[in-house]
Every structure is written in C-alpha cells, then in structure tokens.
Amino acid sequence: MFRFLLRKIRLGKLKKNSSSVSDTNKFRRNLEENLELFQEELGDSPDIIIRRFNLNIKNRIKAAIIFIDGLMDSKVVYDSILYPLMIEAKKENWVVEESILDFIENNLLTVGSVEKDNDFTGLVESVLEGDTILLLDGYTEALILSTKGWEKRSISEPDTEVTIKGPREGYTESIRTNTAMIRRKLAHPGLTFENKKIGKKTRTSVSIAYLKGVVNEKLVEEVRRRLQRIDTDMILDANYIIELIEDSPFSPFPTVAYTERPDVTVAKILEGRVAILVDGTPVVNTVPTLFIESFQSPDDYNYHFLYATLIRWFRYLAFFFNILLAAFFVALSTFHQELIPTPLLISMAAATDGTPFPAVVEVVVMEVVFEILREAGIRLPRPIGQTISIVGALVIGQATVAAGLVGAPTVIIIALTAISSFVVPTQEEAGILLRLTLTIFAGILGAYGILLGILVVLTHLSSLRSFGVPYLSPIVPLSVEDLKDVVVRAPIWAMKTRPRLIGWPKPIRQEFNLGPELPEKPTEDRDDQGKI
Amino acid sequence: MEEGRISSSQLTLLVISFLFGTSLLLSPGRGAGQDSWLATLLGLGEGFIFALLNLALYNRFSGQSLVEINELVWGPIIGKFFSAAFLWYLFHLGSSGFAIFVTLLKTAIFMVTPEYILLVTGLITCIYTCKQGIEVISRMNEVLLFSTLFLFAFSLFLMLNIFEPKNLLPVLDLPVKKLLWVAHGTATFPFGQIIALAMVWPFLNETEQYRKSLFKGLIVAGIILILGEIRTGAVLGKISGFYVFPTYEAYRMINIAGVLTRLELIPVLNFLTMGFIKASILLYATSLGTAQMLKLRTYRPLVFPLGVLMIILAAQNYANISQHLEFTENIHPLYALPFQVILPLITLLMALIRGFPKQEVSK
Amino acid sequence: MIKVKFKKQKLFLRVIELGIIILILLLLSGCWDRRELENLAIVSGLGIDDPEQGEGYQLSFQIVKPAEVRAPGSSSGESGSGSSGSSGSKTVWLLRSKGTTVFDAIRNAHFQSNRRIFLSHNQVVIIGKKVAEEGILPVVDVLIRDPEPRLQQWLLIAQQQAGEILKLQAGVEKISANAIAELMENYYLTSKIKATNLHDFADGLVKKSTSNTLPIIGIKEENGEKSFILEETGILKEDRLVGYLDKKETRGLLWVLGKVKSGIIVVDLPDNKGKVSLEIMNAKSKVIPEVEDGKIKIKVEITEEANLGGETSFEDFSSPEALSRLEKLQAKVIEEEIKAALNKAKTYQLDIFGFGESIHRKDHKLWNAIEENWGEIFSQMEVEMKVKAVIRRMGLITKPTIISQNK
C-alpha cells in the first residue's frame, strides 16, 4: 500500500517535471503574449507589478518590467531602470550596432548586476526573489536586473548571547548581511561560501562557510552530502536544516551548535569547523559540535584567563546543579537521610513536617510549575512577563510554603536548579529532560537510581558523534593538549594548536613563543627616558 | 563483529579499572588484617607472572582473541571445549561481580528492596553499554575511572587526620603460610582476572602496544590497591579484619570538623561505577567470545540472554554472605587456577609444539 | 527505500525499548526503602538499662521533635520549670520500650511510635550501670553491625539509670543528647574526660590486651535542679565495668595515651605560698617498651608545654630560674597524675594504657610468649616516667601586680 502510494507520488513528480520542461518553450516574440504568460504564472496578486512603457531608441519599442512591490529597491528601479530607459534614451542619437537588448544592457542600465535569460521558470523565480525583469517586444530573451531590496532589521545586539566586553553585533535575518559580517571579520581569501537553494516551495538560500586550508575536506564533503539529500517543501528556520542533517536525531543533546554572534562563528571556522547559514534565521550553525562548546562562552576570551577559568568552573558546577541537584535532594531526603548532617536534617524535617506529598512528587510538580511559568514568561510581552514572574515567585514560592503544601527546602532547590539552568543555555533542552528523569529515578531507587541514570546518559554521550567527531572529545577520547580550553581557559598565547580532532589538517595556530616579552634591556630604556 | 578500535592508553585504563573495580570495596587482602597491603604486593608479583604467561601466548597470535587462538591451536572441536571453559569462567566472574554488587547494596543501603530489582536495573544499564561496543565501553571507562580516582585521592586526603600509622604495626603479625595464601588469593582476584581482557586485546589500534598497556595497568592498579589497603588498615586498625567491607567502614570514619562527614556514599558510588565497568567488560567479553566460538556474525543478540543468565546465576549462586566470603577467600584461589594459568599454559605448550608463530608470520 | 523503512523500524523499536525499561522501573519498584522525612523519628540519644522486672533490656530513646526545635519560642528550659526532671520537655520526646534483646527493644518501640525509629543521627549511647556491669558487648553489637547507627556515637556509662539522664534538661541546648556529645567533643578543655566512641570501643575489644575505659555520666542535684555531670571514668574488664578512675587519674591515663590537648594544671608552691594555674598548650607522649635482662620495662616520655595562666601568690616568676623551678613542680604534678592512674590500673591488673599493644608492635614474637598472663606481668611491671614540662609564656603581665614586700 505504502509502496504503491510512493510510486504514485513519484509518477506525479515525473509528470510535473516534464510539464515544466515544456514551459520554457512558451516564450514568444510578442511582448503582450509573454506578459500574459507571466500574469498567468504569477497570478493577480496586487503586489505583482507589470509596468509597460515605450522605449525610444531608433524607433518606438514596447517594453515592460515586472517586479514585486516591496521586494525591490524602488530607488534602483526608478533611477537606474525606468529613468534611463524612458528619459535618457530619448536624448541621444544612438548608433546601435548590436541588438537593442545588448545595447540597453551595455549603455543604459545602471544596475549592478544584469543577466540575460530565456528560461521562463528561472525568470519567474528571480522575480519572486526580488529582482526585476525587463522584457522587450520582439525578443525571446529577458534581462534580469538585480534590484533586491526590502525592509530588514538592522544589525542589533544579540538577545541570547549577551557579552559584557565583546562585540555587540548579532546576525540578522538576511543571509547576505550575515555573510558580510563573517567576511568582515575574516578577510582571508580562503574563506569560502557555497550557496544552495533548499526547499522546493520556499527555496531558502543556505550557505556553507569554511576556511580552505584549515578545514578538513572530508568534513565539507560530508556537509554537502547531507544538505544534498534534503528534499523537502520548506525550510523556514535553521532548525529545519539541523533536524534533517543531525547525527542522532533522537538525542536530546545538541549535536549542531548555534550562535547569534559573528565573532563566535569566525572563531569556530578558524578552528576548522564548517558554518551553515540559512536565510531568514538570525542564527548560524557550526559543525562538528562538541559537548564542551556549550560551556565556552564568548566572554571567556574577553576576560583575564584566570577569571575566565574560574567562571568556567562555576559553569560546570551550575550544569551539575541543573541536572543533579533536584535528584540528589530527592535521594537524600527519601533514601539516605543518614548522609545529611544532623542539624540540617532537623531543619529539613522541621520544614517538611506535615506536607502532604512525598518529596519526589513535590519536586516534580514544582519543576513542572516552574517550566510552565518560564514558558509563559518568555512568550508574553515583556511588561506582562515580569508580572508573571512576580506572581510565580509570590504564589508558588511564598503561598505554597505558607499553606504547608510544599516544604521550603523543595522551593529552594527548585529555585537553585532554575537559576543554574540559565547558566548553560545551549544544554537547557537536554537539561530539563535529564533533570526530570533523574529526579524520578532518584525517587524510585535513590542514589543508585541516579547513578544508573547517569551511566545511561554517559553511555549515550560517549556513543554520540557530531559529523564524525566524538561528542565528548577532548575529554573522551582524552586529548590532553586540548584540555587547555576545557579544564582551564589558557592564555591566548598558550593556545597554540587547534582542537586535535577538528583542526588536524593544519594543527598549528600560532608560533610557540608568543607570550608577552619585556623589551630586551629595560633598564637602559628607562635611562633614556629619564634624560629626555 | 566489532569495528571499534581502542588506543593503548584506553587499554591501560581498562586494565586499571578492571583490576580495581570490585576489589576497591571488597579488599582482596582482607584476610591478612593489617598486613593486607603486603599480601596485595606479593599478589601483584604473582599476578605479573600470570600476565607474562598470557602475553607469551598472545605474542604468537597477534590480533587474535583467546577464543580464536584456542580454535587455531586445538582445532575446531577441542578448541571449542577450551573456549567454552574459558567463557564459563568469564561468565561466572561476571555473575560474581553482580552478586557482590547486590550484596553491598543490600547490606549498606537498600535493605528492603528486592534483589531482582537491583540486579535487573543494573543489568539493563550494562546491556545498553555493551551493545554500543568496545569503543563506547572504553570511553565510558575513561570518564568513570578519572572520577573514581579523583574521589579516591580526595578521600585519602580527608582521612589524613584519622590516619594512624601505628595501626599498621607489627608487620608480619600472622603466620607466613597464611600470608602467602592471602597473597595468592589477591593474585587470582583481582590480578589474574586480567585474562578476561584477552578478548579485548585484538581491538587495539597500535597492536604492538598491548604489552606496555598491560604492565602499566597492572602496576598502577596494584599501587592504588596497596594504597587503599594501607589507608584502610591505618584508619581502622586491627578491627578492619572484622568488617565485611572495611573500605566502607573507613569512609564512615571521615569527620572533618563535623562538616565533611557522612561520606559513605563515595565508596559505594566508586564501587558501583567501577563494578559496572567490570561487569560490562565481562558481559561484552563473554558475548563476543561466544559469538566467535559459534562463528556468528555479531555478538549483539547474545548480550541480552547472557546478561539475564548472569544475574540469575548471581541471584542463585550464594545462599548467604558467609558462602560468598568463603568462596572468594578459600575456593576462588584454587578454582581460578585452571582458567587463569593451566589452560593458557597448555595452549601455549601445544602452540610451541605445533610451531604456530611461523604460520602466523607467513600468513 | 527498504533501507529507510528498516531504519525507521529500528528507531521505533529503540523508543519502545526505552519506554519499557522506564515502565518496568516504575511499575515493578514500589520504592521499598523509601522513607519520607516526616515519617522518621530522629533519635538523638539512646539509653540502655536493665528493666526493673523480667529479662532483657529497657531502652530509652530521646527523639527530636524537629518543628519544636526550630520554632523560635521554644526552649528546653520552658517546660522544665514546672517539675524539674520530668519528661515533659517539648523539644524531645522520651520513649521507653522493652525487649529481650536490644534490637528487639528497638523494634518494640513501634508499639508506641508511629514514626520509624531512625538511629543514623544518634549522638550518644548511654549504658546503665547494671548493664555495664553485666557486659556491654551484647548491647553494642547491634549498633556496630547494623548499617544505620554510626560508629562515631559516643559511648557512656550512667552512674545509675541511663533513662534518667536522657530525661534531664541541658542548660542552653534544646536537645540534651547534643549537649552530651559536645561535652565529649570538648573533652580537651579539661582533658579529664575519656571520650570514647563506638569505634574506639570496638577497636579496644579487638585488641585484647588493652582494657577499655569509658566516661561515666552522673546526675548532680543543686537547689532542686538536676543536671548531668561527667567526672569519672570507668575501667572495663573486657566488656564489664569493674572499676573507676577519678578526675586526676583520668588525666593521668590521657597523658600516657597522648590525648591531653589542653586543661589546667594546678601547682602547689612549697611552704604554702599559694597556687599557680598553668594552662596546658601542647602535650605529647611516647611509650617505649624495653627489655632489660629478661624483664620488660616500659618507658613513658611526656613532653608538655604550658602557659602561666594565673597565680594566687605574690611570687615573681619572671626570672628564668624561678620559671625552671616552676617547671619542675609542674612535671612532678604530671608524674603524680600518671602514677595515680597506673597504680589504680595495676590493682585491677588491667592494662588501660595500651602498653601491651606497644610491645606487640615492637616485638610480636615476645608478645606471643607473654600474651597469656599479660595482666599479671602488667601489674608487676616497672614503668619509668620522663616528664619534660616547659612553660613558654606567661600572659600579658610578667609579674603579679603587687610584688610582695620580702622580694
């Protein structure tokens, strides 16, 4: 049955293809007939503008331009197309040696990029992308004039990856702006963008970017292959691509990284990674992705390395808090009370005295309530979002404890967990899942349950790969040299190699002896200065 | 059958955790009281001899697992018999591992929870890991071993204030005969059990490194075990011989200003993680060996049934803790000898007689 | 085409597999070992007595009422005002139960307590005098064997009934067992209490040659208000209470064991000139067994450092000579304390100092020969003492503020 359906679909596809082939032959010499064709294809939408005019070169020729209102830069269309063709063309006595179409292209149009085409579907596509096409009576060819230009958001500071000392620019929805931002930071001829249109209906442009000479060619080949096999209607967001090319789609852990910041992308490209840009998404993805990348904030590299190291440790701690604190709380308070220091136990017992539910239920319910609150806070307009958090804090935090429904320690634990979950934002999705499952495991088998849960997660993590690179590297398989950016954030002059498993085609980043040095003879210098 | 490859350092780490996996808590030199460290040291020496023997055999058949070697040397029928005996030993070891696992949990933490729950949940985790292959097992091992060693060192540090070197005196308090017997016990458990890794050696990516890895692993594991014994002996004193799990009791003694105390979960977690690795390796080795013996294409379908049999044996094997202790202390040292020494030895002799290395070279 | 289908099936199976695992976990396990905090009776002190009639033991549990302990208004004194010494304390609940064995009695507590008796946080085990005289081991075995009670529990012997002591109020503390535990932890302030926990006791039992000593807790009545007091130490033969050490002898014992950390030494000046209190700052001991022509001799070396804390005389100790005279007097006091303890131990033929162990450590062959009649050998053994006591500092003044006329 299934197979039959598929065959039907396939046949239908074939038929469509053949019909579209015959379409190209539709192009006629008569302008009006051609315009009718376009009208038919594009429909009667009010935003499709067909502007007919007369061209007065040698003799009067009927002409028309087609564009979509709002997608083109009107200034370009009026000043560089209509004005020259309708006004400038009249003034001179032209000596036309070539065909009129070529003549116009070479002498009159002041548009940046002009292309000649006679493929009907291609022309329709370029109109839909915001270009203008120029048709002349008596020609089976048309000119595609690049007039793309639409309202877009200007470059602004990224919302989710705020840095204190780093650059303030973030990606926008326009892929061209994004590629420009990358190239501005990485002005090296090796930086290559490969463009591709994906999505049969949406025809979204997707670019892959890499640095030739640093990147592993096989990796680029693999990215190309995975993009190639995408055969879908729509790509509305980068995540559509990611879910289609991921290594393990069932894993809650992100095996493709994203960033809103061009400086991060450039750093990753320089390590030998490949970036995937998707039009319409203010986010750029990079592969291969390692687990540890979630803990490397761009600000780490803007601060003193000792401070950055300390903060990174806190980030690891926060991640453990995030997934384990609630589970440990449940395990300790329902299974291993002997492990709690006596005064703390008495305090906890005093706080939970008389609460109606077991600790697991308390924690899980509070967890769920918190997630709902958070979701509400994100979606609502900002002023109301704050109201929600106040209501949440007061009602959930204060009232439930006062009413004796939930013990105060539970609220404290959930609050700590919640705060910790914001520290490592990229692992947040995995974090929630792990936290809930581990808490339930802890409620069933105590610390043993947590341990088993962790073992399963670790096994899963060790078996994960992102574009061929083990997800947990450089921790496992251990690569001691790469720990310079994992256990600590080594000073910039000490990070002389690229990550071993990613940047191995060209491992050396900089010379060995780049640490800051004092001038050769500092004392003499000082003497000189003294004299002056 | 198994496409994964492991590096020599990963093999070293596997050897370490395999050796001190279960012995971390069930200290093998227990019978020798405060001289347990000495017994462990002597046992390490004897273990080296066992390892040399195994290496001598393996040297002749580089890239072959023990099951395949048996087949080559003894022919398909007798070879299968030998392999079956070896696999039985691995299987039995695995089930004792599970049994200790449960004993600890049942005596220390989960007194009411039925055994089968603890066994089944543990087994599911092991099966999941085993099915991922040797690469994932050894990666897991890296993470777990480092965390275990960190906790070990940390606890050693915490015990410094209750460390009483006097407790280790007098040396050689018990009769030499007894000491030697306990030493032999530590040679068979854990050091001699290294033979189980003969199923893993062929997956080394640098084939010539296995010897170094093995020795490094033996020495490091030996040092850690001896350190552990010294620590336990010095902290607990003579009474350490009275406890079923002396290490556990030593951790219960930790008390730093009333703040860092009640840390007995640490040894249990250490033991469980390392025991998990050991059980996974054994389950993996048994399944892989069986698959090789039966000439199957993959070992994966065998993991589940063998694992279930393992825990059934684990639940049925020992009626009580005394039997278990009796087995590890008095029977295992003899029971292990045929598998750890005699079978490899006669296989080696037979290989020498039949002149096997030449054939391998020509191949 | 077929490949894709197969892949999907595999993934689907995996998800189902995972689901089954979780279901098994959830359904099969009924959370057997789960115990909610609010269902625990946290025991802070345990008293073990002989029952007035019948066989077995009577246990007294001091159970903490967490909510009352944490409530700001409550205090243990409040309730005690009406009838002192009654079990009307609000922060704790004194529960008594009887049983043929200790474990039996612990379980029998559940005739009265709906909450599970939880011994992990028990701080002190007090053993009634009668039980102590009959033998402690059968009582504490369960406490060592069971994983729940901890080995760091302090072990004490009550002068009379253990239950009576757990009833008492303890000064500022809300939980009196905590107060007892802290008394033991702070034994070094006087160094006259032999604080012993369960592990020390068990260790002592294993080392057969060494006799255990346990602190004795008694009741002091003053103006109708009762409170507990720790002044004596009991000597045990194996696990039976046979004799007592007083405060002075206890410190004598602690000197040898090297457990003196602090405390006050009062030195009587010759010719009734007055008394000087010296504060012990640091003390070390060394026990060296020696064999001299077939006879075993023990050498005890004590090095002690003290500060001059106060004097009731007008003596000026600011000169080195005067100080050294004082040091000699101090050494003599220490020596006397040790001698007192030693004599007491010799009368019982019980080696409470661990001399036997030190011989064992040094020469286990010799030890094997004499182990049999060690008690006798100990009682006749010569113990040589070498006390090196120094005075380092004398506080913020060098001389008494009034210097006597004759100087």
Side-chain angles (χ1 to χ4, degrees), chain B residues 34 107-114 116-117 120-121 124 128 131-132 166-174 235-239 242-243 248-249 251-255 261-264, chain C residues 14 17-18 21 24-25 28-29 31-33 35 116 120-123 143-144 146-152 185 197 199-200 202-203 206-208 257 285 357 360-364 368:
Chain B
Q34 74 258 47
T107 40
I109 307 176
F110 296 106
M111 300 214 269
V112 196
T113 312
Y116 77 93
I117 286 291
V120 166
T121 44
I124 290 170
Y128 176 59
K131 285 200 171 181
Q132 310 283 333
K166 264 190 208 166
N167 279 336
L168 292 172
L169 293 170
V171 179
L172 272 178
D173 192 25
L174 74 176
V235 168
L236 288 179
K238 209 168 180 179
I239 200 170
F242 286 72
Y243 292 121
Y248 180 72
E249 297 298 333
Y251 276 81
R252 287 182 61 165
M253 298 296 297
I254 293 180
N255 186 356
T261 176
R262 302 175 180 265
L263 297 175
E264 59 254 37
Chain C
R14 241 194 207 177
E17 215 175 288
L18 210 82
I21 289 168
I24 287 175
L25 270 171
L28 291 184
S29 61
C31 321
W32 302 267
D33 282 291
R35 32 181 202 216
R116 196 180 168 285
S120 265
H121 289 267
N122 190 22
Q123 313 263 342
L143 300 177
I144 301 171
D146 197 82
E148 208 178 275
R150 306 188 66 81
L151 293 174
Q152 274 104 331
E185 275 155 31
N197 63 24
H199 173 260
D200 299 333
D203 199 33
V206 171
K207 293 173 187 156
K208 277 182 203 137
L257 295 178
S285 82
E357 264 311 297
H360 185 184
R361 274 193 205 112
K362 198 175 176 199
D363 189 347
H364 64 273
N368 286 342

Side-chain angles (χ1 to χ4, degrees), chain C residues 102-114:
Chain C
V102 172
F103 208 2
D104 185 33
I106 292 175
R107 273 300 148 87
N108 286 346
H110 289 290
F111 289 135
Q112 287 159 275
S113 171
N114 61 321

